[in-house]
């Protein structure tokens, strides 16, 4: 008889361990908020309960003395009200109406440890493993004491050896499952803290970069304004200083604008854009810059029809300008910049290719990330803005590069056809 209960006890323990591990595996970073976490817990509870009740042989004593106390104790202690009450309802009522455990002992003992578990949960958060083990085994022992006492007071007697084996296995299982669940919870906490630390580090790096880059032009502007206060400054020098001061302010303003565009990449006034016209317009702006840098620009419009996309003109031009300007700056010894526009699979593609210094595979994976730049005087904000704005226009952007072989940037947008 003793051996007949060992297999159901082991099966029940395996189900509880599976629930803990499922919770660890399925619970990803984006489900750390409380509501989704509770829904995930309830989904796992429902799934495993259905499998257990549908496919396992039920022993009422094993179910009442092993599965119910451990499950309610863990759910109420670790997860709080909603998962705790759901676990209590599922196991108590399934026990009474499906497995046919004793109604009054199951209901009374389960309700008591649910209340105690919730009290401890909201009063003793972030406890150590030893303390949580003590709480778990205490709740389980209280349940067993109430259940068996009520059971015997009703005049029902079970084989003492059978009860002793189940109770012993229940106490051992409660410690084992508590150990697993405790470290599942702490693994989540460690992941959450790691994500937060990375975010804080990123914010710190970005703030340091912004303050440094803004301080430089402001310091330069202040110096020229001080020079303008000298009495012996000629009119030509005064005009030159004023130009330099305005350039410094404009530079600081452009950095702030880039940051704001990155933080809020929305399209305020979207309209239909003719890709060919927009590209040719940006090329005309870049022509003087390319001549000075000894860069040849070649443009090829490969589509026979007009290519129209949905976007905001100034921000689309900013995307093209930032990418092409970076391409030109990557060719300090001169070279060629090639731009293709084409239509492929109902997608408008803009391909920008340079013959510059290129990037390694490691660097190409970091393109567009905050604070990453390959330029000595850069902030990394330019391509951050490009990536954000392309996504805001429902487009996609890709980079390919090899050291000393140049870089290719592709932008893909959905074609808008005139109805």
């Amino acid at each position: 008889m003793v051996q007949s209960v060992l297999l159901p006890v082991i099966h029940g323990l395996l189900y509880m361990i599976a629930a803990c591990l499922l919770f660890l595996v399925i619970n990803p970073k984006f489900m750390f908020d409380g509501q989704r976490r509770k829904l995930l817990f309830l989904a796992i509870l429902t799934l495993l309960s259905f499998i257990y009740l549908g496919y396992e042989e039920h022993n009422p004593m094993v179910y009442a003395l092993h599965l119910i106390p451990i499950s309610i104790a863990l759910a109420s202690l670790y997860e709080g009200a909603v998962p705790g009450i759901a676990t209590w309802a599922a196991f108590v009522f399934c026990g009474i109406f499906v497995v046919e455990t004793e109604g009054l002992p199951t209901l009374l003992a389960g309700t008591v440890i649910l209340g105690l578990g919730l009290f401890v949960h909201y009063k003793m958060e972030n406890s150590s493993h030893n303390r949580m083990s003590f709480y778990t085994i205490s709740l389980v022992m209280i349940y067993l004491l109430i259940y068996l006492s009520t059971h015997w007071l009703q005049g029902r007697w079970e084989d003492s050896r059978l009860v002793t084996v189940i109770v012993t296995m229940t106490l051992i299982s409660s410690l084992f499952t508590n150990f697993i669940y405790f470290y599942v919870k702490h693994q989540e906490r460690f992941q959450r803290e790691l994500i937060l630390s990375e975010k804080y580090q990123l914010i710190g790096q970005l703030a340091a970069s912004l303050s440094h880059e803004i301080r430089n032009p402001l310091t330069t502007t202040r110096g020229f304004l001080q020079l303008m206060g000298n009495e012996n400054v000629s009119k030509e020098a005064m005009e030159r200083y004023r130009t330099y001061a305005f350039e410094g302010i404009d530079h600081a303003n452009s950095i702030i604008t880039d940051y704001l565009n990155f933080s809020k990449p929305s399209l305020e006034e979207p309209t239909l854009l003719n890709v060919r016209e927009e590209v040719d317009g940006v090329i005309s702006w870049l022509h003087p810059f390319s001549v000075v840098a000894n860069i040849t620009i070649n443009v090829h419009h490969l589509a026979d029809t007009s290519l129209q996309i949905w976007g905001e003109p100034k921000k689309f031009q900013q995307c093209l300008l930032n990418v092409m300007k970076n391409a030109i700056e990557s060719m300090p010894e001169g070279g060629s910049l090639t731009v293709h526009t084409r239509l492929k699979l109902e997608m408008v593609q803009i391909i920008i290719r340079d013959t510059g210094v290129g990037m390694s595979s490691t660097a190409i994976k970091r393109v567009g990330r905050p604070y990453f730049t390959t330029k000595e005087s850069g902030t990394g904000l330019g391509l951050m803005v490009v990536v954000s704005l392309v996504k805001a226009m429902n487009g996609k952007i890709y980079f390919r590069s090899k050291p000393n072989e140049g870089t290719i940037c592709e932008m893909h947008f959905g074609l808008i056809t005139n109805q």
Side-chain angles (χ1 to χ4, degrees):
M1 181 177 293
V2 173
Q3 293 179 349
S4 66
V5 302
L6 288 179
L7 188 59
V9 167
I10 294 173
H11 280 195
L13 177 60
L14 292 176
Y15 272 91
M16 287 184 284
I17 294 173
C20 296
L21 296 179
L22 273 175
F23 200 71
L24 172 64
V25 172
I26 299 177
N27 192 14
K29 298 176 183 178
F30 62 86
M31 297 188 73
F32 279 143
D33 65 280
Q35 190 62 32
R36 291 183 178 180
R37 176 190 176 87
K38 293 174 183 177
L39 292 175
L40 175 62
F41 184 91
L42 295 178
I44 294 175
L45 171 65
T46 302
L47 174 64
L48 293 183
S49 297
F50 174 79
I51 296 174
Y52 181 83
L53 295 174
Y55 297 96
E56 294 289 342
E57 294 185 4
H58 309 139
N59 185 308
M61 287 298 292
V62 172
Y63 193 91
L65 297 180
H66 185 256
L67 283 175
I68 293 179
I70 297 176
S71 300
I72 296 177
L74 289 178
S76 58
L77 280 175
Y78 283 98
E79 298 301 330
V82 174
I85 294 173
T87 303
W88 170 84
F91 279 86
V92 168
F93 289 103
C94 285
I96 295 173
F97 297 107
V98 179
V99 185
E100 298 181 350
T101 62
E102 295 295 332
L104 179 60
T106 302
L107 182 61
L108 180 60
T111 303
V112 170
I113 68 166
L114 171 66
L116 292 175
L118 294 179
F119 175 80
V120 173
H121 173 79
Y122 291 108
K123 293 293 183 180
M124 303 289 182
E125 293 185 359
N126 299 324
S127 298
S128 65
H129 171 251
N130 290 336
R131 181 170 293 185
M132 292 303 292
S133 298
F134 171 76
Y135 292 146
T136 302
I137 200 167
S138 297
L139 290 178
V140 171
M141 292 177 67
I142 291 171
Y143 174 93
L144 295 173
L145 180 62
I146 295 174
Y147 184 93
L148 293 174
S149 298
T150 307
H151 187 71
W152 288 328
L153 287 174
Q154 290 179 324
R156 297 182 175 88
W157 302 93
E158 301 289 345
D159 186 291
S160 59
R161 290 192 306 160
L162 180 66
V163 172
T164 301
V165 170
I166 297 176
V167 168
T168 302
M169 292 296 295
T170 299
L171 296 177
I172 295 173
S173 298
S174 65
L175 291 175
F176 187 62
T177 52
N178 176 77
F179 172 83
I180 294 176
Y181 207 93
F182 180 84
Y183 283 101
V184 166
K185 289 274 293 183
H186 276 62
Q187 180 69 18
E188 294 175 15
R189 182 172 62 84
F190 293 149
Q191 291 178 354
R192 187 185 302 113
E193 291 176 354
L194 177 61
I195 293 170
L196 289 176
S197 66
E198 290 177 348
K199 289 182 179 179
Y200 292 147
Q201 182 182 16
L202 181 60
I203 292 172
Q205 290 177 334
L206 190 57
S209 173
L210 281 172
S211 62
H212 173 74
E213 293 301 324
I214 293 175
R215 186 180 291 114
N216 285 342
L218 291 182
T219 301
T220 303
T221 300
R222 178 184 175 88
F224 285 120
L225 292 175
Q226 289 176 334
L227 291 175
M228 291 171 64
N230 294 336
E231 297 180 355
N232 299 325
V233 177
S234 65
K235 184 177 180 180
E236 292 78 9
M238 180 73 73
E239 187 65 27
R240 187 168 65 253
Y241 294 158
R242 186 173 66 175
T243 301
Y244 291 155
F246 280 132
E247 289 178 353
I249 294 174
D250 290 340
H251 180 54
N253 183 60
S254 67
I255 293 174
I256 296 173
T257 300
D258 283 347
Y259 173 73
L260 293 176
N261 285 335
F262 167 72
S263 61
K264 188 180 179 182
S266 59
L267 301 180
E268 298 175 359
E269 298 179 1
T271 184
L272 284 177
L273 303 179
N274 186 304
V275 172
R276 179 169 185 164
E277 293 178 358
E278 299 296 334
V279 170
D280 290 341
V282 171
I283 294 298
S284 64
W285 295 343
L286 284 173
H287 184 70
F289 183 43
S290 65
V291 171
V292 173
N294 194 28
I295 304 296
T296 302
I297 300 180
N298 301 301
V299 182
H300 304 282
H301 300 292
L302 304 180
D304 297 330
T305 59
S306 174
L307 301 181
Q308 291 185 322
I309 63 174
W310 192 254
E312 190 174 337
K314 289 185 178 180
K315 292 183 178 179
F316 181 62
Q317 292 165 4
Q318 183 181 7
C319 290
L320 297 176
L321 190 61
N322 282 354
V323 173
M324 294 182 190
K325 188 171 179 291
N326 281 349
I328 291 175
E329 291 175 347
S330 73
M331 298 180 282
E333 305 298 327
S336 64
L337 175 66
T338 306
V339 181
H340 291 85
T341 64
R342 66 184 184 184
L343 179 64
K344 186 175 182 180
L345 300 177
E346 297 301 314
M347 296 294 293
V348 177
Q349 298 184 356
I350 304 170
I351 305 171
I352 303 171
R353 183 195 305 263
D354 65 62
T355 58
V357 295
M359 289 180 285
S360 65
S361 58
T362 302
I364 204 69
K365 293 178 181 178
R366 300 177 61 191
V367 170
R369 294 185 181 180
Y371 201 65
F372 174 75
T373 178
T374 58
K375 296 185 291 186
E376 294 182 359
S377 59
T379 63
L381 291 176
L383 285 180
M384 285 167 51
V385 172
V386 171
V387 173
S388 298
L389 291 179
V390 169
K391 289 182 179 179
M393 296 171 61
N394 296 320
K396 296 181 180 180
I397 186 168
Y398 307 93
F399 292 92
R400 302 195 306 273
S401 184
K402 290 184 179 180
N404 302 317
E405 294 185 15
T407 301
I408 300 174
C409 171
E410 291 191 22
M411 300 182 191
H412 297 180
F413 301 95
L415 175 68
I416 305 299
T417 57
N418 295 324
Q419 301 296 330

